Amino acid sequence: MNSAVTPLLIVLVLAYAIYRQFKTRPADRSAVLYISLALIVFGLVSGGVLDSDHLGPSVFMLAIEVVTAVGLGVLRAMTVRIWADAKGVAWSKGTGWTLLAWLASIAVRVAEQFAGSAMGLTVAAGGIMVFVGLTLATQSLVVSSRGRALFGSGTGSYTVER
């Protein structure tokens, strides 16, 4: 893919994902997992996740990025409002805290990019796609889990009537 198109694609996918979180939607967000998986796979295939010229620092930064992507996904998921309607359907909607958590997530990711660059690592879109995919998947899984927890032990499932 053209190197100028990739960042635009990342921004568009992220903007759409954030926009959708502020709409009332079923809490079971399995479609987001497919998009997240596609981002992760595409990021890994496009390369740049590790800098082969600086393998040690690159692996260190990747570990930090994975931990922060997961942690920030959990944080954002905890800011999403979850409720059940009279039919027993779990719903979710982002709050003002969700928006602040997204801004914090973006700021942390930018800081990680600057830190990696200061360490002499090459910044590549592949790493950004993996980060976005991981953080979206984590948030989706936690929101879905919170929705299921409304119906008892959290191990059962719930259905969304369409």
Side-chain angles (χ1 to χ4, degrees):
M1 180 176 281
N2 184 329
S3 61
V5 173
T6 303
L8 178 62
L9 176 65
I10 294 168
V11 169
L12 289 175
V13 167
L14 189 56
Y16 181 71
I18 293 170
Y19 166 77
R20 294 274 299 156
Q21 289 177 16
F22 294 93
K23 299 290 184 185
T24 300
R25 304 180 318 145
D28 183 18
R29 302 177 177 185
S30 57
V32 174
L33 293 176
Y34 296 117
I35 293 168
S36 300
L37 181 62
L39 281 169
I40 293 167
V41 168
F42 191 69
L44 291 172
V45 169
S46 68
V49 175
L50 292 175
D51 184 343
S52 59
D53 293 335
H54 306 93
L55 195 55
S58 183
V59 169
F60 174 74
M61 281 304 297
L62 177 62
I64 289 172
E65 291 168 359
V66 167
V67 168
T68 57
V70 170
L72 291 166
V74 170
L75 172 72
R76 285 191 319 275
M78 299 310 292
T79 67
V80 173
R81 180 174 174 249
I82 308 286
W83 71 96
D85 66 11
K87 294 181 181 180
V89 177
W91 295 91
S92 67
K93 184 175 183 177
T95 65
W97 290 109
T98 309
L99 180 59
L100 287 174
W102 265 112
L103 294 173
S105 297
I106 292 167
V108 166
R109 182 61 188 148
V110 168
E112 288 174 343
Q113 291 292 113
F114 279 121
S117 182
M119 294 169 57
L121 302 177
T122 303
V123 175
I128 296 169
M129 283 188 274
V130 170
F131 180 90
V132 171
L134 275 173
T135 200
L136 283 174
T138 301
Q139 181 179 355
S140 177
L141 289 170
V142 173
V143 166
S144 293
S145 175
R146 288 181 60 214
R148 283 189 301 276
L150 292 176
F151 300 100
S153 66
T155 58
S157 61
Y158 57 95
T159 57
V160 175
E161 298 177 11
R162 298 188 196 275

